[in-house]
Amino acid sequence: MDVITVTSTDQDAANFTSSFINSVHLADGYQIALLKIACPPIFNVTESNNKAYIGRKDGDQVKVIEIPNGFYPTTHDVAQALHDALHLHEFSSDLMDSTEFFLGIGDEEQVEESEQEEEDDHDVKTNIRYSSSSGALDSTKIVMQLTDRKSVFVADSEYNDNILQLMQYKLSSFKTKTLLIQNYDLVAKDLICFVYCSIVSNSIIDDHVSRLLDTIPIKSSKNGGYYIHEFKNPVFHNISASSFIDISFQFRDINGAFVKFDPNFPIIITLGIKKND
């Protein structure tokens, strides 16, 4: 059996083509199988959960802010992305000025005290502080606070894509100017991925003709690194071409959409090619 390793370097990991210097020529009766794959992290923040809703304490007007789609290892990484997005967004001055980060928290009384200061002074400035109830730094919690005294984060049952759910806020409806964010690991949901290959003979999925190479379970590691899957019993498929100079691959979910991998990592595929038994 011959072994070939290809990568998606400088291409979309879910839809890429690997080219060879010279054409590969095979006699009839050769087969190909997926032996091992190293998958980048799957996006755990997408259009379905990347939006923050900013409104007024005493009104119904709401601004929608989105953070970039991607893989975020922890809730604190999501909070930092929201902080950055809010500062980049140009709000009208009557809605809000900026956001505020307090890294680490003390107790709830400190938060309430800070909110009271905001109520008393419309021009409160941005500042950063570390504290805890014992006076020692608590890096497991972030307090994120809107500095404009009348602006609030809004949660509502109709906002199913609200980023607050990622940050462990489960209440269906509330308004708050201050978020207390615990540091939790975020992982993407496990996926069953369909791997298609351009040189594989046709097969049938439901009522569709396809060039399915294999199906694989894909997970995201907690640290955002590679997930590696090795096939104990690889399934070999007939190769449909007697010669080829490139091979195209596609990775799709069960709904047919391309899997959203972290673009900072190439996917790595190890293939086995052998003559038919």
Side-chain angles (χ1 to χ4, degrees):
M1 180 175 65
D2 294 322
V3 176
I4 300 174
T5 299
V6 299
T7 77
S8 64
T9 302
D10 297 328
Q11 300 181 70
D12 182 351
N15 184 19
F16 71 96
T17 299
S18 181
S19 300
F20 304 99
I21 296 175
N22 300 309
S23 294
V24 177
H25 297 277
L26 299 173
D28 291 338
Y30 274 82
Q31 297 182 313
I32 187 170
L34 186 56
L35 302 182
K36 185 168 69 172
I37 185 168
C39 294
I42 311 167
F43 282 12
N44 53 11
V45 173
T46 65
E47 291 83 1
S48 65
N49 59 4
N50 72 334
K51 298 173 182 64
Y53 295 85
I54 312 298
R56 303 289 282 177
K57 283 184 177 180
D58 53 357
D60 297 326
Q61 181 186 8
V62 173
K63 293 284 187 180
V64 181
I65 302 298
E66 298 183 13
I67 69 170
N69 294 342
F71 178 81
Y72 294 78
T74 70
T75 50
H76 280 190
D77 294 298
V78 172
Q80 181 64 57
L82 177 56
H83 172 70
D84 295 341
L86 285 164
H87 279 268
L88 287 173
H89 193 88
E90 293 184 0
F91 286 99
S92 59
S93 59
D94 65 333
L95 184 62
M96 69 170 291
D97 297 323
S98 64
T99 61
E100 175 54 22
F101 260 130
F102 298 95
L103 302 182
I105 66 166
D107 50 27
E108 294 184 2
E109 290 182 0
Q110 289 177 301
V111 175
E112 292 170 359
E113 179 183 348
S114 178
E115 290 185 351
Q116 183 60 46
E117 290 172 359
E118 291 263 343
E119 293 292 342
D120 295 339
D121 185 359
H122 178 73
D123 296 320
V124 65
K125 302 297 182 182
T126 298
N127 59 68
I128 297 174
R129 67 175 179 175
Y130 299 86
S131 63
S132 72
S133 57
S134 62
L137 170 65
D138 184 357
S139 60
T140 66
K141 297 177 183 178
I142 286 178
V143 175
M144 185 176 183
Q145 190 173 68
L146 297 172
T147 57
D148 179 74
R149 62 175 181 161
K150 293 186 177 180
S151 297
V152 290
F153 295 99
V154 179
D156 192 279
S157 57
E158 68 179 85
Y159 303 148
N160 295 323
D161 51 4
N162 201 321
I163 198 173
L164 296 182
Q165 297 182 56
L166 271 180
M167 295 187 286
Q168 308 300 314
Y169 279 83
K170 304 301 184 183
L171 297 178
S172 59
S173 181
F174 67 91
K175 292 182 178 181
T176 181
K177 68 188 289 73
T178 303
L179 299 176
L180 281 70
I181 305 163
Q182 291 268 11
N183 195 22
Y184 294 106
D185 290 331
L186 293 176
V187 295
K189 294 181 179 179
D190 297 348
L191 290 180
I192 293 296
C193 179
F194 292 75
V195 184
Y196 299 92
C197 175
S198 61
I199 65 170
V200 171
S201 295
N202 286 336
S203 59
I204 302 295
I205 300 179
D206 291 332
D207 57 348
H208 299 285
V209 176
S210 71
R211 295 183 181 272
L212 181 67
L213 178 60
D214 220 320
T215 57
I216 59 172
I218 297 182
K219 305 175 183 288
S220 286
S221 59
K222 289 184 178 181
N223 62 4
Y226 277 101
Y227 168 70
I228 299 174
H229 182 82
E230 188 165 0
F231 292 82
K232 293 181 179 179
N233 299 296
V235 178
F236 282 84
H237 303 268
N238 292 332
I239 294 177
S240 62
S242 58
S243 67
F244 52 88
I245 196 169
D246 55 41
I247 307 176
S248 297
F249 298 90
Q250 292 185 353
F251 292 77
R252 295 180 180 269
D253 64 22
I254 198 168
N255 298 313
F258 285 114
V259 176
K260 294 183 178 180
F261 293 111
D262 187 328
N264 296 311
F265 298 80
I267 204 165
I268 305 169
I269 299 173
T270 302
L271 303 165
I273 297 179
K274 70 172 187 176
K275 193 167 180 60
N276 226 339
D277 295 333

